[in-house]
Amino acid sequence: MAGGTAEGRRVFVSTLPAGPGERRLALAVVLVSVAIFLSAVPFAKVPLGQVWAFIPIYQSALVVNDLITAVLLFGQFGFLRSRALLVLAGGYLFTAFMAVSHILTFPGLFAPTGLLGAGPQSTAWLFMFWHGGFPLCVIAYALLKNDTREIDGPAGRAGVAISSSIAVIVAVVCGLTLLATAGQHALPAIMRGNQYTAVMLSVVSTTWVLSLLALVVLWRRRPHAVLDLWLMVVMCAWVFDIALAAVLNAGRFDLGFYAGRIYGLLAASFVLMVLLLENGKLYARLVQSTAEAEAANRAKSDFLSRMSHELRTPLNGIIGFSQLLELDSLTPEQRESVEHIQKGGRHLLTLINEVLDIARIEAGAISISLEPLPVTDVVGSALDLVRPLARGRRITLVDAVAGDDHVMADRQRLQQVLLNLLSNAVKYNRDDGRVEVSCTKAGSGSIRLAIRDTGRGIAPGMLERLYTPFERLGADRSGVEGTGLGLALSRRLVEAMHGTLHVESTVGEGTTFAVELPPAVGHSAVVAGTNGVPPSAATPKTFGTLLYIEDNPANLRLVERIVSYRPGLTLLSAVQGRRGLELARDHQPRAIVLDLHLPDLDGTEVLARLRGDPSTRDIPVVIVSADATPGQVTRLLAQGADAYLTKPLDVSEFLALLDRLFNRTATPCATTT
């Protein structure tokens, strides 16, 4: 992706518009520079001592400054992909490399005539090439900065552009160095000893004009970014540098010679300081954004927990009491009414679960446990669950999965995805149709699970809307039940397992959904646990006292009705945590059912006190809560809960758990739902 987001582009000094504060500061710097320049002009030709250490110290600092500036600008180019930034970064790299050539050829510094085969004209010509080349790069930058074309492509393309730019700069610097050394006889003489010749005036005037031209072009190319503003300050400093060091002075080692180079060092520092300040601000913003994102994730997790509780709590009563009604003797009309209640409640529960799952994925709060899974096992389990639905539509289910392929996936989440895709393949199929599940190896080496139906198919123009939440593509008018969230959730779950979900469809022939997952090469299969058969409504030999700590009257009444199907159980109830602790100590119940949201104490505090009291430490505690977040379940089990059930309660499952608790030996129970 080229260029990043539009909002992200605005944080860089190369794109951020210059404000009044930056303009005033830049103007102040220029005015101070002008004042110093004017005060130095009358003394420019005053000879000073030959301080040989000045040259290496000054130019080493210059090289380091320019290299760091070039690296920072190349970094911005990598994000923004702006041709103008690439040229400007190359200009700073050019000045750094030319400064190296200049110092190596300086006469009398490392050798009487300089290194690299330099002669008496080499250093002066390198200075002219150096101070003429950078303004040309600035002019090119100014002309390109409003060009909206970018260097598109993946991140590697930016690296190629940077590498190519560096190679070109190195080639140019080597060529100019070779011209100023080996080819110096082809150039007119501009130095005689440490003094300038008459030709020097015309050569240096050209260089000076280029700096002025760069300043004018920058000024005219509006609007000005912060970087443009400081580049204009730099070009002013370059004008003063050339004027003092090569126009108004008499030669080397006079006041103009030293003062001009100081201006050059300042020129190299302005943009660097702005870029370093920008990096500091960006880092501070990154830290702040990270803290805000973490706070937002915590708030989102708290919101999910609260919404899970608030939505599931009323459903607990609706679905729970309807399940109890099913256990009673009902007339056909009454049983049909109960089935409608159950159907509506289950539909709403499915919707709530899918919305919360999508929100958890977006918040990064969903728990994914990848393990090697045998494809035949997972597909077989999913097909078994959907067979009753297929039987009602006379749809043939074909299991074409063979072999011993294994995938790396989360068993529960993969089962959820396959069940959703198979249910859709049955619901949106034609009567007497066919659904086939196959397993093949994809070209990328992944395992491809394909579910093909013989339904009406999906028009090509509608495929792009297929994964949009609550988008049912008109199926809501066909009478087929659904929430419009299943496919959106399935794709996100598959991606969370490092896989992909694809769809192919032909109108009138059918649709194929394909799940591609990484293979589990060299791993043993994990054998699935078998689902227990729900117990009958009246399982005998269940005796003892059950304590239920809950403040919701409807939930209390529901559990009272459920426990009535176990005549050997005595139910004690408490609507406050402190009262529940008292009853637990006084009556020593065989098990405790605990809600987390209590009026006086939080359920986690009640659990901690139960586990901290020697008289109640060994009593099994079952958490029953509408908060179904995986982190909450894991945390409560780690704190000593024996089981965690989520509302709405499954009556058969709850009765089965009570039977195990009241008929077990001392072996601890760690059942979770």
Side-chain angles (χ1 to χ4, degrees), residues 495-521:
E495 290 173 349
M497 294 185 287
H498 310 298
T500 55
L501 178 61
H502 307 284
V503 60
E504 298 174 0
S505 187
T506 303
V507 176
E509 295 184 10
T511 302
T512 300
F513 281 93
V515 177
E516 292 187 11
L517 291 167
V521 181

PDB file of all heavy atoms in Angstrom, residues 495-521:
ATOM      1  N   GLU A 495      -9.747 -16.405   9.860  1.00  0.00           N
ATOM      2  CA  GLU A 495      -8.547 -15.555   9.793  1.00  0.00           C
ATOM      3  C   GLU A 495      -7.806 -15.557  11.121  1.00  0.00           C
ATOM      4  O   GLU A 495      -6.568 -15.490  11.138  1.00  0.00           O
ATOM      5  CB  GLU A 495      -8.946 -14.138   9.396  1.00  0.00           C
ATOM      6  CG  GLU A 495      -9.414 -14.028   7.950  1.00  0.00           C
ATOM      7  CD  GLU A 495      -9.966 -12.657   7.612  1.00  0.00           C
ATOM      8  OE1 GLU A 495     -10.172 -11.851   8.557  1.00  0.00           O
ATOM      9  OE2 GLU A 495     -10.208 -12.381   6.419  1.00  0.00           O
ATOM     10  N   ALA A 496      -8.546 -15.628  12.248  1.00  0.00           N
ATOM     11  CA  ALA A 496      -7.896 -15.693  13.552  1.00  0.00           C
ATOM     12  C   ALA A 496      -7.113 -16.992  13.713  1.00  0.00           C
ATOM     13  O   ALA A 496      -6.174 -17.057  14.507  1.00  0.00           O
ATOM     14  CB  ALA A 496      -8.933 -15.565  14.672  1.00  0.00           C
ATOM     15  N   MET A 497      -7.491 -18.038  12.948  1.00  0.00           N
ATOM     16  CA  MET A 497      -6.763 -19.314  12.967  1.00  0.00           C
ATOM     17  C   MET A 497      -5.734 -19.376  11.835  1.00  0.00           C
ATOM     18  O   MET A 497      -5.281 -20.456  11.462  1.00  0.00           O
ATOM     19  CB  MET A 497      -7.753 -20.477  12.873  1.00  0.00           C
ATOM     20  CG  MET A 497      -8.661 -20.615  14.073  1.00  0.00           C
ATOM     21  SD  MET A 497      -9.739 -22.063  14.029  1.00  0.00           S
ATOM     22  CE  MET A 497     -10.942 -21.573  12.768  1.00  0.00           C
ATOM     23  N   HIS A 498      -5.400 -18.189  11.259  1.00  0.00           N
ATOM     24  CA  HIS A 498      -4.385 -18.056  10.203  1.00  0.00           C
ATOM     25  C   HIS A 498      -4.810 -18.756   8.915  1.00  0.00           C
ATOM     26  O   HIS A 498      -3.963 -19.281   8.173  1.00  0.00           O
ATOM     27  CB  HIS A 498      -3.030 -18.597  10.671  1.00  0.00           C
ATOM     28  CG  HIS A 498      -2.594 -18.075  12.003  1.00  0.00           C
ATOM     29  ND1 HIS A 498      -2.368 -16.728  12.236  1.00  0.00           N
ATOM     30  CD2 HIS A 498      -2.380 -18.701  13.186  1.00  0.00           C
ATOM     31  CE1 HIS A 498      -2.008 -16.562  13.494  1.00  0.00           C
ATOM     32  NE2 HIS A 498      -2.019 -17.735  14.103  1.00  0.00           N
ATOM     33  N   GLY A 499      -6.105 -18.761   8.655  1.00  0.00           N
ATOM     34  CA  GLY A 499      -6.614 -19.350   7.429  1.00  0.00           C
ATOM     35  C   GLY A 499      -7.360 -18.332   6.589  1.00  0.00           C
ATOM     36  O   GLY A 499      -7.366 -17.133   6.884  1.00  0.00           O
ATOM     37  N   THR A 500      -7.982 -18.814   5.530  1.00  0.00           N
ATOM     38  CA  THR A 500      -8.779 -17.954   4.650  1.00  0.00           C
ATOM     39  C   THR A 500     -10.087 -18.647   4.314  1.00  0.00           C
ATOM     40  O   THR A 500     -10.177 -19.882   4.333  1.00  0.00           O
ATOM     41  CB  THR A 500      -8.025 -17.637   3.342  1.00  0.00           C
ATOM     42  OG1 THR A 500      -7.639 -18.866   2.700  1.00  0.00           O
ATOM     43  CG2 THR A 500      -6.784 -16.794   3.605  1.00  0.00           C
ATOM     44  N   LEU A 501     -11.109 -17.826   4.006  1.00  0.00           N
ATOM     45  CA  LEU A 501     -12.417 -18.334   3.614  1.00  0.00           C
ATOM     46  C   LEU A 501     -12.744 -17.779   2.237  1.00  0.00           C
ATOM     47  O   LEU A 501     -12.718 -16.564   2.033  1.00  0.00           O
ATOM     48  CB  LEU A 501     -13.482 -17.913   4.639  1.00  0.00           C
ATOM     49  CG  LEU A 501     -14.924 -18.331   4.340  1.00  0.00           C
ATOM     50  CD1 LEU A 501     -15.048 -19.848   4.266  1.00  0.00           C
ATOM     51  CD2 LEU A 501     -15.878 -17.777   5.400  1.00  0.00           C
ATOM     52  N   HIS A 502     -13.023 -18.672   1.282  1.00  0.00           N
ATOM     53  CA  HIS A 502     -13.316 -18.274  -0.092  1.00  0.00           C
ATOM     54  C   HIS A 502     -14.708 -18.755  -0.475  1.00  0.00           C
ATOM     55  O   HIS A 502     -15.254 -19.687   0.116  1.00  0.00           O
ATOM     56  CB  HIS A 502     -12.299 -18.870  -1.073  1.00  0.00           C
ATOM     57  CG  HIS A 502     -10.876 -18.594  -0.710  1.00  0.00           C
ATOM     58  ND1 HIS A 502     -10.281 -17.378  -0.915  1.00  0.00           N
ATOM     59  CD2 HIS A 502      -9.921 -19.389  -0.144  1.00  0.00           C
ATOM     60  CE1 HIS A 502      -9.026 -17.425  -0.510  1.00  0.00           C
ATOM     61  NE2 HIS A 502      -8.782 -18.625  -0.020  1.00  0.00           N
ATOM     62  N   VAL A 503     -15.267 -18.143  -1.508  1.00  0.00           N
ATOM     63  CA  VAL A 503     -16.578 -18.549  -2.003  1.00  0.00           C
ATOM     64  C   VAL A 503     -16.559 -18.513  -3.522  1.00  0.00           C
ATOM     65  O   VAL A 503     -15.975 -17.615  -4.141  1.00  0.00           O
ATOM     66  CB  VAL A 503     -17.699 -17.634  -1.444  1.00  0.00           C
ATOM     67  CG1 VAL A 503     -17.488 -16.182  -1.858  1.00  0.00           C
ATOM     68  CG2 VAL A 503     -19.074 -18.126  -1.899  1.00  0.00           C
ATOM     69  N   GLU A 504     -17.185 -19.508  -4.124  1.00  0.00           N
ATOM     70  CA  GLU A 504     -17.426 -19.558  -5.560  1.00  0.00           C
ATOM     71  C   GLU A 504     -18.883 -19.934  -5.755  1.00  0.00           C
ATOM     72  O   GLU A 504     -19.403 -20.814  -5.063  1.00  0.00           O
ATOM     73  CB  GLU A 504     -16.521 -20.592  -6.240  1.00  0.00           C
ATOM     74  CG  GLU A 504     -15.035 -20.301  -6.111  1.00  0.00           C
ATOM     75  CD  GLU A 504     -14.191 -21.432  -6.674  1.00  0.00           C
ATOM     76  OE1 GLU A 504     -14.791 -22.423  -7.150  1.00  0.00           O
ATOM     77  OE2 GLU A 504     -12.961 -21.338  -6.628  1.00  0.00           O
ATOM     78  N   SER A 505     -19.548 -19.274  -6.684  1.00  0.00           N
ATOM     79  CA  SER A 505     -20.972 -19.541  -6.852  1.00  0.00           C
ATOM     80  C   SER A 505     -21.376 -19.378  -8.312  1.00  0.00           C
ATOM     81  O   SER A 505     -20.864 -18.494  -9.014  1.00  0.00           O
ATOM     82  CB  SER A 505     -21.800 -18.597  -5.965  1.00  0.00           C
ATOM     83  OG  SER A 505     -23.157 -18.952  -5.987  1.00  0.00           O
ATOM     84  N   THR A 506     -22.282 -20.226  -8.742  1.00  0.00           N
ATOM     85  CA  THR A 506     -22.868 -20.153 -10.082  1.00  0.00           C
ATOM     86  C   THR A 506     -24.380 -20.141  -9.925  1.00  0.00           C
ATOM     87  O   THR A 506     -24.956 -21.062  -9.319  1.00  0.00           O
ATOM     88  CB  THR A 506     -22.441 -21.355 -10.940  1.00  0.00           C
ATOM     89  OG1 THR A 506     -21.006 -21.399 -11.006  1.00  0.00           O
ATOM     90  CG2 THR A 506     -23.016 -21.230 -12.349  1.00  0.00           C
ATOM     91  N   VAL A 507     -25.012 -19.112 -10.434  1.00  0.00           N
ATOM     92  CA  VAL A 507     -26.463 -18.985 -10.304  1.00  0.00           C
ATOM     93  C   VAL A 507     -27.139 -20.178 -10.976  1.00  0.00           C
ATOM     94  O   VAL A 507     -26.841 -20.528 -12.111  1.00  0.00           O
ATOM     95  CB  VAL A 507     -26.950 -17.666 -10.939  1.00  0.00           C
ATOM     96  CG1 VAL A 507     -28.473 -17.592 -10.899  1.00  0.00           C
ATOM     97  CG2 VAL A 507     -26.340 -16.476 -10.214  1.00  0.00           C
ATOM     98  N   GLY A 508     -28.044 -20.811 -10.230  1.00  0.00           N
ATOM     99  CA  GLY A 508     -28.771 -21.950 -10.746  1.00  0.00           C
ATOM    100  C   GLY A 508     -28.093 -23.280 -10.513  1.00  0.00           C
ATOM    101  O   GLY A 508     -28.715 -24.332 -10.704  1.00  0.00           O
ATOM    102  N   GLU A 509     -26.813 -23.271 -10.093  1.00  0.00           N
ATOM    103  CA  GLU A 509     -26.092 -24.531  -9.898  1.00  0.00           C
ATOM    104  C   GLU A 509     -25.686 -24.760  -8.450  1.00  0.00           C
ATOM    105  O   GLU A 509     -25.688 -25.885  -7.973  1.00  0.00           O
ATOM    106  CB  GLU A 509     -24.850 -24.569 -10.789  1.00  0.00           C
ATOM    107  CG  GLU A 509     -25.165 -24.570 -12.274  1.00  0.00           C
ATOM    108  CD  GLU A 509     -23.914 -24.695 -13.124  1.00  0.00           C
ATOM    109  OE1 GLU A 509     -22.829 -24.976 -12.541  1.00  0.00           O
ATOM    110  OE2 GLU A 509     -24.006 -24.503 -14.347  1.00  0.00           O
ATOM    111  N   GLY A 510     -25.328 -23.706  -7.743  1.00  0.00           N
ATOM    112  CA  GLY A 510     -24.958 -23.876  -6.348  1.00  0.00           C
ATOM    113  C   GLY A 510     -23.773 -23.022  -5.950  1.00  0.00           C
ATOM    114  O   GLY A 510     -23.232 -22.246  -6.744  1.00  0.00           O
ATOM    115  N   THR A 511     -23.375 -23.192  -4.683  1.00  0.00           N
ATOM    116  CA  THR A 511     -22.314 -22.379  -4.094  1.00  0.00           C
ATOM    117  C   THR A 511     -21.324 -23.284  -3.377  1.00  0.00           C
ATOM    118  O   THR A 511     -21.715 -24.299  -2.783  1.00  0.00           O
ATOM    119  CB  THR A 511     -22.903 -21.362  -3.097  1.00  0.00           C
ATOM    120  OG1 THR A 511     -23.855 -20.544  -3.773  1.00  0.00           O
ATOM    121  CG2 THR A 511     -21.820 -20.479  -2.501  1.00  0.00           C
ATOM    122  N   THR A 512     -20.053 -22.900  -3.437  1.00  0.00           N
ATOM    123  CA  THR A 512     -19.002 -23.635  -2.727  1.00  0.00           C
ATOM    124  C   THR A 512     -18.256 -22.677  -1.810  1.00  0.00           C
ATOM    125  O   THR A 512     -17.714 -21.662  -2.270  1.00  0.00           O
ATOM    126  CB  THR A 512     -18.010 -24.280  -3.705  1.00  0.00           C
ATOM    127  OG1 THR A 512     -18.701 -25.189  -4.564  1.00  0.00           O
ATOM    128  CG2 THR A 512     -16.916 -25.026  -2.950  1.00  0.00           C
ATOM    129  N   PHE A 513     -18.261 -22.973  -0.532  1.00  0.00           N
ATOM    130  CA  PHE A 513     -17.442 -22.243   0.437  1.00  0.00           C
ATOM    131  C   PHE A 513     -16.229 -23.106   0.759  1.00  0.00           C
ATOM    132  O   PHE A 513     -16.373 -24.305   1.024  1.00  0.00           O
ATOM    133  CB  PHE A 513     -18.224 -21.943   1.714  1.00  0.00           C
ATOM    134  CG  PHE A 513     -19.161 -20.792   1.589  1.00  0.00           C
ATOM    135  CD1 PHE A 513     -20.486 -20.988   1.230  1.00  0.00           C
ATOM    136  CD2 PHE A 513     -18.724 -19.491   1.818  1.00  0.00           C
ATOM    137  CE1 PHE A 513     -21.356 -19.922   1.104  1.00  0.00           C
ATOM    138  CE2 PHE A 513     -19.581 -18.422   1.696  1.00  0.00           C
ATOM    139  CZ  PHE A 513     -20.902 -18.629   1.337  1.00  0.00           C
ATOM    140  N   ALA A 514     -15.042 -22.496   0.733  1.00  0.00           N
ATOM    141  CA  ALA A 514     -13.810 -23.238   0.977  1.00  0.00           C
ATOM    142  C   ALA A 514     -13.039 -22.598   2.128  1.00  0.00           C
ATOM    143  O   ALA A 514     -12.759 -21.398   2.109  1.00  0.00           O
ATOM    144  CB  ALA A 514     -12.947 -23.274  -0.273  1.00  0.00           C
ATOM    145  N   VAL A 515     -12.718 -23.408   3.123  1.00  0.00           N
ATOM    146  CA  VAL A 515     -11.902 -22.981   4.252  1.00  0.00           C
ATOM    147  C   VAL A 515     -10.503 -23.545   4.054  1.00  0.00           C
ATOM    148  O   VAL A 515     -10.329 -24.764   3.950  1.00  0.00           O
ATOM    149  CB  VAL A 515     -12.489 -23.480   5.585  1.00  0.00           C
ATOM    150  CG1 VAL A 515     -11.579 -23.081   6.746  1.00  0.00           C
ATOM    151  CG2 VAL A 515     -13.890 -22.936   5.794  1.00  0.00           C
ATOM    152  N   GLU A 516      -9.501 -22.670   3.978  1.00  0.00           N
ATOM    153  CA  GLU A 516      -8.114 -23.106   3.845  1.00  0.00           C
ATOM    154  C   GLU A 516      -7.381 -22.831   5.154  1.00  0.00           C
ATOM    155  O   GLU A 516      -7.370 -21.700   5.638  1.00  0.00           O
ATOM    156  CB  GLU A 516      -7.422 -22.389   2.682  1.00  0.00           C
ATOM    157  CG  GLU A 516      -7.962 -22.797   1.323  1.00  0.00           C
ATOM    158  CD  GLU A 516      -7.157 -22.215   0.173  1.00  0.00           C
ATOM    159  OE1 GLU A 516      -6.055 -21.678   0.441  1.00  0.00           O
ATOM    160  OE2 GLU A 516      -7.622 -22.288  -0.982  1.00  0.00           O
ATOM    161  N   LEU A 517      -6.772 -23.881   5.712  1.00  0.00           N
ATOM    162  CA  LEU A 517      -6.087 -23.787   7.002  1.00  0.00           C
ATOM    163  C   LEU A 517      -4.696 -24.386   6.894  1.00  0.00           C
ATOM    164  O   LEU A 517      -4.445 -25.271   6.055  1.00  0.00           O
ATOM    165  CB  LEU A 517      -6.887 -24.521   8.082  1.00  0.00           C
ATOM    166  CG  LEU A 517      -8.232 -23.898   8.488  1.00  0.00           C
ATOM    167  CD1 LEU A 517      -9.031 -24.878   9.317  1.00  0.00           C
ATOM    168  CD2 LEU A 517      -8.006 -22.603   9.257  1.00  0.00           C
ATOM    169  N   PRO A 518      -3.773 -23.933   7.749  1.00  0.00           N
ATOM    170  CA  PRO A 518      -2.415 -24.491   7.710  1.00  0.00           C
ATOM    171  C   PRO A 518      -2.431 -25.965   8.095  1.00  0.00           C
ATOM    172  O   PRO A 518      -3.174 -26.379   8.995  1.00  0.00           O
ATOM    173  CB  PRO A 518      -1.652 -23.661   8.747  1.00  0.00           C
ATOM    174  CG  PRO A 518      -2.491 -22.465   9.011  1.00  0.00           C
ATOM    175  CD  PRO A 518      -3.906 -22.857   8.745  1.00  0.00           C
ATOM    176  N   PRO A 519      -1.609 -26.776   7.434  1.00  0.00           N
ATOM    177  CA  PRO A 519      -1.556 -28.194   7.801  1.00  0.00           C
ATOM    178  C   PRO A 519      -0.780 -28.395   9.097  1.00  0.00           C
ATOM    179  O   PRO A 519       0.094 -27.605   9.447  1.00  0.00           O
ATOM    180  CB  PRO A 519      -0.813 -28.826   6.613  1.00  0.00           C
ATOM    181  CG  PRO A 519       0.052 -27.716   6.085  1.00  0.00           C
ATOM    182  CD  PRO A 519      -0.721 -26.443   6.316  1.00  0.00           C
ATOM    183  N   ALA A 520      -1.111 -29.472   9.808  1.00  0.00           N
ATOM    184  CA  ALA A 520      -0.388 -29.843  11.025  1.00  0.00           C
ATOM    185  C   ALA A 520       0.524 -31.006  10.671  1.00  0.00           C
ATOM    186  O   ALA A 520       0.192 -32.169  10.889  1.00  0.00           O
ATOM    187  CB  ALA A 520      -1.361 -30.210  12.142  1.00  0.00           C
ATOM    188  N   VAL A 521       1.664 -30.691  10.080  1.00  0.00           N
ATOM    189  CA  VAL A 521       2.569 -31.722   9.588  1.00  0.00           C
ATOM    190  C   VAL A 521       3.325 -32.340  10.752  1.00  0.00           C
ATOM    191  O   VAL A 521       3.888 -31.641  11.594  1.00  0.00           O
ATOM    192  CB  VAL A 521       3.570 -31.127   8.570  1.00  0.00           C
ATOM    193  CG1 VAL A 521       4.492 -32.215   8.030  1.00  0.00           C
ATOM    194  CG2 VAL A 521       2.819 -30.457   7.443  1.00  0.00           C
TER     195      VAL A 521
END
